[in-house]
Amino acid sequence: NAGVTQTPKFQVLKTGQSMTLQCAQDMNHEYMSWYRQDPGMGLRLIHYSVGAGITDQGEVPNGYNVSRSTTEDFPLRLLSAAPSQTSVYFCASRRRTSGASTDTQYFGPGTRLTVL
Amino acid sequence: AQTVTQSQPEMSVQEAETVTLSCTYDTSENNYYLFWYKQPPSRQMILVIRQEAYKQQNATENRFSVNFQKAAKSFSLKISDSQLGDTAMYFCAFMKHVGSSNTGKLIFGQGTTLQVKP
């Protein structure tokens, strides 16, 4: 298994440009999430999905759009990039569990995005 | 809303020594999970250890152990016999237990950078 993959690893955008960060997982996980990591602030949840066709907002959703048409893929779209979106972006996935148990959340390698 | 606080931005330890990283959290929930993640310079997020709030026994994973104090809302990580490969940023994280399933939404602390010195 490749686990969670993200492309690209690095990206530089100009203000106002749009782009899509790709995320894919081959573990058949129901749950997928996008986080951003900024210095001194840890990771913050942008959007998440509990299954194909179902998405919801996290803590910092403004300026980002997501969709989940398949179990494997969960792309993150920046509609009009702003310098405040300069960050490292992580995709994560986890198997759905029930009861009192929880499963490990797997993270992708991250995408470093710079918006000029 | 839940919050997670790591009050030590940076720490250092000599190789083979023991170090403890602090984490406090705030929640009104009774059922939840706590995690420590390691992020080495490669940027990869690696799960170190996790604790279920309903378990009184502290979790251990080889050289890593936690001191979970539910009433005090404290969740510290102890690394014994520190190794150079332990040099990384460490994040404490909280996840709420929601009904019969968990949405996997993690709330992270700010992180602690740990330097292990030879």
Side-chain angles (χ1 to χ4, degrees):
Chain A
N1 286 349
V4 181
T5 59
Q6 291 183 238
T7 56
K9 285 187 170 51
F10 301 93
Q11 183 70 48
V12 179
L13 292 177
K14 294 181 179 179
T15 297
Q17 287 185 314
S18 63
M19 79 158 294
T20 299
L21 305 185
Q22 301 291 345
C23 174
Q25 51 92 9
D26 61 358
M27 298 173 282
N28 204 31
H29 287 170
E30 293 85 355
Y31 296 143
M32 297 187 74
S33 309
W34 276 103
Y35 294 85
R36 61 177 287 173
Q37 181 180 12
D38 301 296
M41 301 188 72
L43 279 74
R44 292 180 292 166
L45 182 64
I46 305 172
H47 285 286
Y48 67 99
S49 170
V50 299
I54 306 170
T55 63
D56 205 348
Q57 295 181 350
E59 183 184 355
V60 287
N62 293 340
Y64 307 95
N65 196 10
V66 293
S67 60
R68 184 102 178 265
S69 56
T70 67
T71 299
E72 295 78 19
D73 301 298
F74 190 43
L76 178 72
R77 297 181 185 86
L78 281 70
L79 307 174
S80 178
S84 62
Q85 293 178 306
T86 293
S87 188
V88 178
Y89 292 84
F90 287 95
C91 181
S93 75
R94 187 175 68 82
R95 184 174 60 92
R96 179 190 178 107
T97 55
S98 61
S101 67
T102 186
D103 203 359
T104 299
Q105 184 141 203
Y106 294 87
F107 284 84
T111 295
R112 181 176 292 278
L113 175 68
T114 301
V115 182
L116 303 175
Chain B
Q2 291 79 25
T3 59
V4 178
T5 302
Q6 294 177 247
S7 58
Q8 305 154 313
E10 297 179 353
M11 294 190 71
S12 64
V13 63
Q14 292 296 130
E15 195 175 7
E17 297 292 310
T18 295
V19 64
T20 298
L21 309 183
S22 300
C23 172
T24 58
Y25 59 95
D26 187 25
T27 184
S28 58
E29 303 290 330
N30 191 48
N31 295 323
Y32 51 87
Y33 306 88
L34 296 164
F35 306 86
W36 278 98
Y37 279 88
K38 170 185 178 181
Q39 187 180 44
S42 66
R43 207 169 63 196
Q44 183 68 46
M45 294 289 288
I46 302 165
L47 178 65
V48 175
I49 199 166
R50 70 183 186 198
Q51 174 81 42
E52 291 85 349
Y54 66 88
K55 290 186 177 179
Q56 293 185 338
Q57 186 173 6
N58 289 326
T60 61
E61 287 289 343
N62 301 315
R63 298 183 294 108
F64 299 87
S65 61
V66 299
N67 183 6
F68 173 48
Q69 302 289 329
K70 190 172 183 179
K73 297 179 183 175
S74 171
F75 183 60
S76 61
L77 174 71
K78 185 172 81 171
I79 306 175
S80 304
D81 186 25
S82 296
Q83 301 175 0
L84 297 178
D86 295 333
T87 292
M89 179 166 281
Y90 287 81
F91 291 97
C92 178
F94 171 100
M95 183 172 74
K96 185 171 63 172
H97 176 66
V98 181
S100 61
S101 65
N102 301 302
T103 59
K105 293 159 60 178
L106 289 166
I107 298 171
F108 285 86
Q110 304 91 328
T112 296
T113 299
L114 176 67
Q115 178 76 41
V116 179
K117 298 180 178 179

